[in-house]
């Protein structure tokens, strides 16, 4: 006679499955207990008791299965705080679905979902829902490059062109090929442009060979270590590097060397045109359900995963490259990923970035004892049009978190830092908050005369006519910058609808000197975080060739298409070249607001001119092609018909 009837045995089997997810140690203890009970000589009374125990196990298994919540090892108070926050954020931000996971002491202690993975099919989001993780992919790419170094296939001190012989990009100094090193691409300090816009989103995006060839027409933003310029196209090149050195596709390499060893069975990369697997969250843009098209730079953005798999990946980072006996990368190389690489830039920054990881100082204050500890948050976010993701961890506290969403309005919700703050406060009585002690970069302030001139900026061109006040248009707003008192700082007032003023007290602006150049810098007074926003562009003679090129142009050629319902369409885009105050300006107007831009150009010769942009640092190049066409970021334009 069986010790447990079939019904109870089924319940135990269900529990075994859940316990396997809890972790091998808990599963082993439970299994040993069951074996000990079954081996014991059993009387009739004991058999009855055992059947009762097995029946209770079955009921417990049904309860766990019904709730879909095997990862629930936190206090009711912590759970209520976290659930309240995310449910409120879903409602306030009109986010359709989200999933989260929390890691503590080597275990997934909480994981759940909110809202819908597919609203139209009424499929709830849970911890197993799949999402595109966007730029979190960059951390997988950096890990893979370091694995290849450990295997002796390359070294991050190598020039990228040593391994990708078809890659080149021109120097702004002399037009010759610029040396680009692998380590600088990993830390976004190689001087590469951020993006090539044509084909960035596309139904059938161009392959890496097309993107590499397109880069040969571009100029670098500046020399290596000039500034941090976040570069998707740079990480696309690293994906090609991984493929060529390993002899596998980028997707296959990750599958064999990271996903399988870590037990990330639901993580991978979909090739263009492949159907979305069951459990993949629908993308919601402008409250419409759609399938977001692929991105060209696969190694920068195209991994998909779920909260449980990313939690396992987070544990790998907390364990310095090891998980469940699998050391996927040497500990010292793994630690190099978490070391700041931005400490010696020409244009300094207080940001910190390693290899594929953002680093941020934080303070942890113990609510009971009152003492404080400085810790470091490490991780990465990922933002495509609809999907927003974030993973992060604090090695000193042994905790980590994952947040995933499927809605264009979900970027503020996808915040692993906030989730860790909620968890630490409710579960550990720790007050976590950002606290950057990095010294403010010592920069010389510009004089009143040096402030005057035209600045490129992420606002667009800005004309400073007075040393103590200037104004400009930004999107639908008018902005007034005014110097406060005798100090160097300017404050910002936004005139909404042209008449309703709103003063921004959370940011200031100063003009600084770096070398022989004058820059506009933004500063957040509360944290002293700063970023270079623009550079003064002095008027210079414009050749007859560029004067002849002035005018309006229409998009032509063969832009890579996107689905008609996707808002990243480029049809109807126009470009304009004009002279203003002696400065050559390039303006792009598109149905896609994200593509709209205007910036000063510096002609390098009669064919090529370069723009200067900061913050996202796209690194624009505009070229005059034979026949009078213009080339910009992979797009071709022809003169508009008059």
């Amino acid at each position: 006679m069986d010790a447990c009837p079939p019904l109870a045995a089924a319940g135990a089997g269900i529990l075994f499955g859940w316990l396997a997810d809890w972790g091998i140690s808990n599963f082993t203890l439970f299994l040993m207990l069951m074996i000990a009970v079954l081996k014991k000589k059993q009387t009739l009374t004991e058999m009855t008791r055992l059947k009762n125990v097995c029946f209770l196990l079955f009921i417990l298994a049904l309860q766990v299965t019904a709730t879909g919540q095997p990862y629930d090892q936190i206090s009711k108070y912590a759970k209520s705080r976290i659930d309240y926050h995310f449910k409120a954020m879903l409602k306030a931000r009109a986010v359709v679905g989200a999933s989260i996971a929390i890691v503590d002491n080597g275990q997934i202690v909480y994981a759940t979902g909110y809202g819908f993975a597919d609203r139209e099919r009424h499929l709830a989001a849970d911890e197993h829902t799949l999402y595109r993780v966007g730029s979190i992919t960059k951390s997988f790419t950096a890990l893979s490059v370091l694995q290849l170094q450990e295997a002796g296939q390359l070294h991050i001190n190598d020039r990228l062109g040593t391994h990708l012989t078809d890659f080149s990009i021109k120097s702004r100094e002399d037009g010759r090929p610029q040396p680009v090193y692998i380590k600088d691409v990993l830390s976004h300090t190689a001087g590469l442009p951020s993006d090539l816009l044509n084909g960035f989103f596309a139904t059938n995006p161009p392959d890496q060979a097309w993107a590499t060839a397109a880069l040969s027409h571009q100029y670098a933003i500046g020399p290596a270590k000039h500034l941090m310029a976040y570069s998707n196209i740079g990480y696309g090149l690293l994906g090609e590097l991984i493929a060529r050195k390993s002899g596998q596709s980028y997707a296959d390499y990750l599958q064999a060397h990271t996903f399988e060893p870590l037990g990330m069975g639901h993580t991978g990369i979909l090739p263009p045109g492949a159907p979305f697997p069951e459990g993949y969250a629908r993308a919601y843009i402008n409250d419409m359900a759609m399938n977001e098209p692929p991105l060209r730079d696969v190694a920068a953005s195209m991994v998909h995963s779920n909260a449980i798999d990313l939690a396992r990946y987070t544990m790998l980072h907390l364990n310095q490259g090891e998980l469940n006996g699998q050391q996927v990368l040497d500990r010292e190389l793994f630690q190099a990923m978490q070391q700041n690489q931005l400490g010696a830039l020409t244009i300094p920054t207080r940001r910190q970035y390693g290899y594929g990881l953002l680093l941020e100082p934080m303070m942890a204050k113990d609510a009971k004892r009152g003492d404080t500890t400085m810790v470091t948050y490490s991780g990465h976010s990922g933002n495509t049009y609809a999907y927003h993701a974030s993973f992060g961890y604090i090695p000193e506290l042994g905790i980590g978190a994952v947040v995933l969403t499927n809605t264009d309005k979900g970027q503020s919700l996808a915040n692993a830092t906030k989730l860790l703050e909620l968890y630490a406060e409710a579960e550990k009585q720790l007050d976590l908050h950002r606290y950057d002690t990095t010294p403010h970069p010592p920069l010389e302030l510009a004089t009143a005369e040096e402030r005057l001139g035209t600045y490129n900026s992420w606002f667009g061109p800005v004309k400073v006519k007075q040393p103590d006040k200037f104004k400009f248009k930004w999107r639908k707003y008018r902005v007034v910058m005014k110097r406060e008192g005798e100090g160097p700082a300017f404050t910002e007032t936004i005139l909404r609808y042209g008449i309703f003023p709103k003063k921004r007290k959370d940011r200031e602006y100063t003009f600084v000197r770096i070398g022989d150049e004058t820059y506009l810098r933004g500063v957040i007074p509360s944290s002293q975080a700063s970023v270079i926003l623009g550079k003064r562009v002095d008027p210079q003679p414009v050749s007859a060739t560029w004067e002849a090129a002035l005018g309006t142009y229409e998009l032509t050629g063969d832009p890579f298409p996107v689905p008609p319902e996707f808002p990243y369409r480029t049809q109807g885009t126009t470009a304009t070249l004009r002279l203003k105050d002696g400065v050559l300006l390039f303006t792009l107007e598109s149905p896609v607001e994200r593509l709209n831009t205007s910036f000063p150009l510096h002609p390098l010769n009669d064919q090529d001119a370069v723009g200067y942009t900061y913050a996202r640092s796209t690194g624009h190049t505009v070229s005059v092609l034979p026949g009078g066409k213009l080339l910009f970021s992979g797009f071709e334009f022809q003169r508009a018909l008059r």
Side-chain angles (χ1 to χ4, degrees):
M1 182 178 180
D2 293 337
C4 289
L7 190 66
I14 294 173
L15 276 175
F16 287 162
W18 291 126
L19 286 166
D21 282 336
W22 289 354
I24 188 66
S25 58
N26 288 337
F27 175 76
T28 303
L29 289 173
F30 184 82
L31 187 60
M32 292 173 62
L33 176 63
M34 291 299 296
I35 291 173
V37 171
L38 293 174
K39 281 187 174 181
K40 184 178 178 181
K41 185 177 180 181
Q42 299 157 351
T43 64
L44 182 61
T45 301
E46 289 169 337
M47 286 294 296
T48 302
R49 289 175 178 170
L50 182 58
K51 289 179 179 180
N52 290 338
V53 170
C54 291
F55 182 74
L56 289 174
L57 290 175
F58 175 73
I59 296 299
L60 176 60
L62 289 181
Q63 290 176 341
V64 170
T65 306
T67 61
Q69 188 60 265
Y71 305 100
D72 191 355
Q73 301 179 43
I74 63 176
S75 66
K76 291 182 179 179
Y77 174 66
K79 179 180 176 181
S80 65
R81 285 285 308 277
I82 292 167
D83 289 350
Y84 176 83
H85 169 80
F86 279 95
K87 289 176 181 178
M89 287 287 286
L90 250 70
K91 183 177 181 180
R93 299 290 189 268
V95 175
V96 176
S99 301
I100 68 169
I102 300 172
V103 169
D104 192 354
N105 195 29
Q107 296 186 26
I108 304 173
V109 295
Y110 191 55
T112 190
Y114 308 96
F116 294 100
D118 190 322
R119 184 178 58 195
E120 287 65 33
R121 296 170 61 195
H122 300 285
L123 297 179
D126 62 23
E127 63 272 22
H128 302 291
T129 300
L130 295 171
Y131 302 81
R132 184 175 289 173
V133 304
S135 289
I136 292 176
T137 302
K138 292 180 174 69
S139 66
F140 291 107
T141 300
L143 174 64
S144 300
V145 170
L146 291 172
Q147 285 176 331
L148 290 171
Q149 175 171 315
E150 185 178 9
Q153 297 295 307
L154 55 80
H155 197 283
I156 61 172
N157 289 327
D158 295 343
R159 288 190 181 188
L160 185 62
T162 301
H163 306 284
L164 301 182
T165 56
D166 51 341
F167 161 73
S168 68
I169 190 167
K170 292 178 281 191
S171 166
R172 293 195 179 195
E173 298 298 323
D174 55 18
R176 296 179 180 179
Q178 176 162 306
V180 173
Y181 295 90
I182 296 172
K183 63 181 179 181
D184 296 328
V185 181
L186 286 167
S187 59
H188 301 291
T189 59
L192 295 176
S194 279
D195 300 310
L196 283 172
L197 297 177
N198 190 10
F200 183 73
F201 276 107
T203 304
N204 291 296
D207 59 20
Q208 190 58 50
W210 179 91
T212 302
L215 274 177
S216 66
H217 298 285
Q218 304 290 309
Y219 286 79
I221 296 171
K225 303 295 186 183
H226 178 61
L227 80 165
M228 183 193 182
Y230 189 87
S231 179
N232 284 305
I233 189 68
Y235 266 76
L237 290 169
L238 293 178
E240 182 66 14
L241 172 69
I242 292 165
R244 293 192 192 180
K245 300 307 294 184
S246 68
Q248 300 175 276
S249 71
Y250 173 77
D252 288 345
Y253 181 88
L254 260 61
Q255 191 67 39
H257 294 269
T258 299
F259 303 153
E260 289 181 4
L262 298 182
M264 298 172 67
H266 302 283
T267 302
I269 296 173
L270 292 178
F276 288 83
E278 187 66 27
Y280 208 111
R282 291 294 302 274
Y284 289 87
I285 300 173
N286 297 327
D287 203 37
M288 293 176 54
M290 61 183 67
N291 292 329
E292 187 179 80
L295 290 94
R296 178 196 61 233
D297 304 321
V298 174
S301 54
M302 275 294 286
V303 166
H304 68 257
S305 190
N306 62 24
I308 297 303
D309 277 9
L310 277 184
R312 295 180 66 80
Y313 182 58
T314 304
M315 287 191 285
L316 175 82
H317 283 260
L318 285 167
N319 294 338
Q320 299 294 311
E322 183 273 332
L323 185 65
N324 291 342
Q326 293 284 333
Q327 188 77 39
V328 301
L329 180 65
D330 174 77
R331 180 176 291 267
E332 290 188 6
L333 286 175
F334 204 96
Q335 290 172 347
M337 290 183 66
Q338 303 167 336
Q339 295 172 1
N340 181 34
Q341 303 296 322
L342 308 183
L345 302 180
T346 304
I347 297 181
T349 178
R350 296 175 81 242
R351 297 182 65 186
Q352 297 186 29
Y353 197 92
Y355 296 141
L357 291 174
L358 176 69
L359 315 173
E360 186 172 17
M362 299 189 75
M363 178 180 288
K365 182 178 181 180
D366 192 301
K368 292 182 178 179
R369 297 194 301 269
D371 56 350
T372 58
T373 303
M374 293 303 302
V375 298
T376 299
Y377 172 91
S378 302
H380 215 289
S381 60
N383 300 292
T384 65
Y385 223 110
Y387 296 102
H388 303 283
S390 178
F391 97 102
Y393 57 96
I394 301 175
E396 295 90 343
L397 302 179
I399 59 175
V402 174
V403 185
L404 304 163
T405 69
N406 64 343
T407 310
D408 55 350
K409 301 178 181 66
Q411 186 169 353
S412 60
L413 183 145
N415 189 334
T417 308
K418 179 62 178 179
L419 179 52
L420 285 176
E421 290 173 354
L422 288 169
Y423 175 71
E425 180 185 1
E427 193 76 3
K428 297 178 175 294
Q429 292 75 54
L430 287 175
D431 177 23
L432 273 179
H433 61 272
R434 295 176 173 88
Y435 188 80
D436 193 346
T437 59
T438 307
H440 202 53
L443 296 176
E444 177 187 354
L445 293 172
T447 66
E449 184 178 354
E450 289 169 341
R451 296 174 202 151
L452 304 179
T454 300
Y455 289 76
N456 68 301
S457 78
W458 70 283
F459 303 115
V462 172
K463 180 71 173 180
V464 180
K465 299 179 180 179
Q466 305 175 43
D468 298 325
K469 182 180 179 180
F470 61 98
K471 55 187 177 181
F472 56 90
K473 286 189 65 176
W474 179 59
R475 294 180 180 173
K476 301 177 182 179
Y477 305 104
R478 293 187 178 275
V479 181
V480 177
M481 299 285 195
K482 186 176 181 180
R483 193 161 71 99
E484 296 290 330
E486 297 299 322
F490 288 69
T491 58
E492 174 186 6
T493 299
I494 297 176
L495 297 175
R496 293 169 293 177
Y497 306 107
I499 55 176
F500 298 107
K502 180 182 179 181
K503 188 173 182 178
R504 297 293 299 268
K505 298 180 180 180
D506 59 343
R507 61 192 65 185
E508 296 176 346
Y509 301 86
T510 58
F511 291 90
V512 296
R513 295 283 295 173
I514 302 175
D516 296 329
E517 309 287 355
T518 303
Y519 294 85
L520 174 64
R521 179 177 66 171
V523 180
I524 299 176
S526 60
S527 65
Q528 287 299 295
S530 65
V531 62
I532 296 294
L533 296 173
K535 174 185 174 182
R536 193 181 73 185
V537 182
D538 297 324
Q540 60 178 1
V542 176
S543 70
T545 302
W546 281 104
E547 283 198 11
L550 300 178
T552 301
Y553 294 77
E554 296 173 336
L555 186 65
T556 184
D558 188 21
F560 293 94
V562 298
E565 70 275 12
F566 188 64
Y568 206 84
R569 289 174 289 112
T570 56
Q571 290 84 351
T573 299
T574 62
T576 303
L577 269 178
R578 61 193 175 101
L579 276 174
K580 185 176 181 181
D581 299 322
V583 176
L584 188 64
L585 294 178
F586 180 85
T587 300
L588 196 71
E589 294 186 4
S590 169
V592 182
E593 185 176 348
R594 295 186 185 189
L595 288 181
N596 290 342
T597 185
S598 183
F599 52 87
L601 284 174
H602 173 68
L604 298 175
N605 49 51
D606 282 346
Q607 179 182 351
D608 303 315
V610 292
Y612 298 90
T613 53
Y614 295 88
R616 184 55 189 260
S617 299
T618 306
H620 303 299
T621 299
V622 176
S623 300
V624 179
L625 300 178
K629 292 183 178 180
L630 293 184
L631 177 67
F632 166 75
S633 205
F635 291 119
E636 288 188 12
F637 294 84
Q638 65 182 3
R639 280 196 180 272
L641 298 177
R642 297 184 185 275

